[in-house]
Amino acid sequence: DSTTMHVIEARLKAKAPEELVIKDTALFIDSLHGVMANAHFELGRAYETFGETDEARAEYREATGMNVGVIDTAKTALRAQTLYAWLELEHQEKNQVVFDSLLHELLTNYGQTIYAGEARILFENSMRNSPGELAYTQAYQTLKDHGLDPAKPALLHIAAAFSQEDIAPRSLYAIGESYEEAERYDSALV
């Protein structure tokens, strides 16, 4: 029960000897926070299966709002999975504003997960107008029109600013390919 979880956690901490108390239990996958986030995700899936869109949305919101952190790979995957399920729900409901927001969060913060990869494949047309894509399109056009020297700073900035999105490696690849065409193989390798 998410309403009493904090009370239970405080009671357990109060009874335990101080040297055994972990200050932030949310860092562990089997913590109350992690279990609760997973339970909210599963409830969201169940509500969605039975066509209860509002309830599903509320459970997904609870699952992503839990303090599950981004340190642990399993928790990161759960949050990405929840965002992806919620994203699909909003897509089916044609709620474009929330869909765009969730897609942006999934691709920006969880771009290396399989869920972000799947979202890229399924929702590629929705991504064309993202800030990263627009910056990459402009920088790549500069590269084609004026060469590497004027385009390289913008491409490097894109790789740093959008490091979790797939435009980061594309930006670096464009730089490397340009160096290779100029027969500067050492620079291309870097």
Side-chain angles (χ1 to χ4, degrees):
D1 183 4
S2 59
T3 58
T4 60
M5 183 176 70
H6 299 291
V7 175
I8 294 169
E9 190 176 33
R11 187 187 58 196
L12 291 172
K13 283 182 177 181
K15 288 182 178 182
E18 188 174 326
E19 63 272 4
L20 296 179
V21 174
I22 299 170
K23 300 297 182 214
D24 185 8
T25 60
L27 296 175
F28 301 97
I29 189 65
D30 60 346
S31 72
L32 290 174
H33 296 281
V35 171
M36 191 65 70
N38 194 45
H40 281 294
F41 169 74
E42 293 299 335
L43 278 171
R45 292 303 274 185
Y47 277 129
E48 188 176 349
T49 300
F50 292 110
E52 301 292 333
T53 304
D54 291 337
E55 288 82 359
R57 188 177 289 125
E59 292 300 330
Y60 290 149
R61 188 173 290 116
E62 283 292 321
T64 58
M66 299 302 289
N67 184 16
V68 294
V70 289
I71 296 170
D72 187 278
T73 305
K75 286 185 233 175
T76 300
L78 174 62
R79 186 165 169 92
Q81 182 180 17
T82 303
L83 285 169
Y84 181 75
W86 187 3
L87 174 80
E88 287 182 313
L89 174 73
E90 298 301 347
H91 181 68
Q92 290 169 1
E93 293 293 310
K94 300 186 182 348
N95 188 350
Q96 193 65 37
V97 174
V98 176
F99 170 83
D100 288 341
S101 171
L102 293 171
L103 181 61
H104 176 72
E105 182 175 351
L106 181 63
L107 296 178
T108 301
N109 298 322
Y110 305 96
Q112 303 303 321
T113 65
I114 59 172
Y115 304 104
E118 197 64 26
R120 276 187 203 95
I121 293 167
L122 292 176
F123 306 114
E124 183 177 347
N125 290 335
S126 299
M127 296 169 26
R128 294 194 198 282
N129 294 328
S130 72
E133 280 295 328
L134 292 174
Y136 176 77
T137 301
Q138 185 178 12
Y140 193 75
Q141 189 62 46
T142 301
L143 177 67
K144 287 184 355 185
D145 293 346
H146 304 288
L148 181 60
D149 290 335
K152 185 177 176 183
L155 290 167
L156 289 173
H157 173 74
I158 291 166
F162 302 98
S163 62
Q164 294 295 314
E165 296 183 36
D166 70 338
I167 55 167
R170 284 191 290 157
S171 295
L172 296 174
Y173 182 80
I175 294 169
E177 192 174 60
S178 297
Y179 277 131
E180 188 174 353
E181 287 173 5
E183 297 181 2
R184 294 180 56 194
Y185 300 114
D186 289 345
S187 296
L189 182 62
V190 171

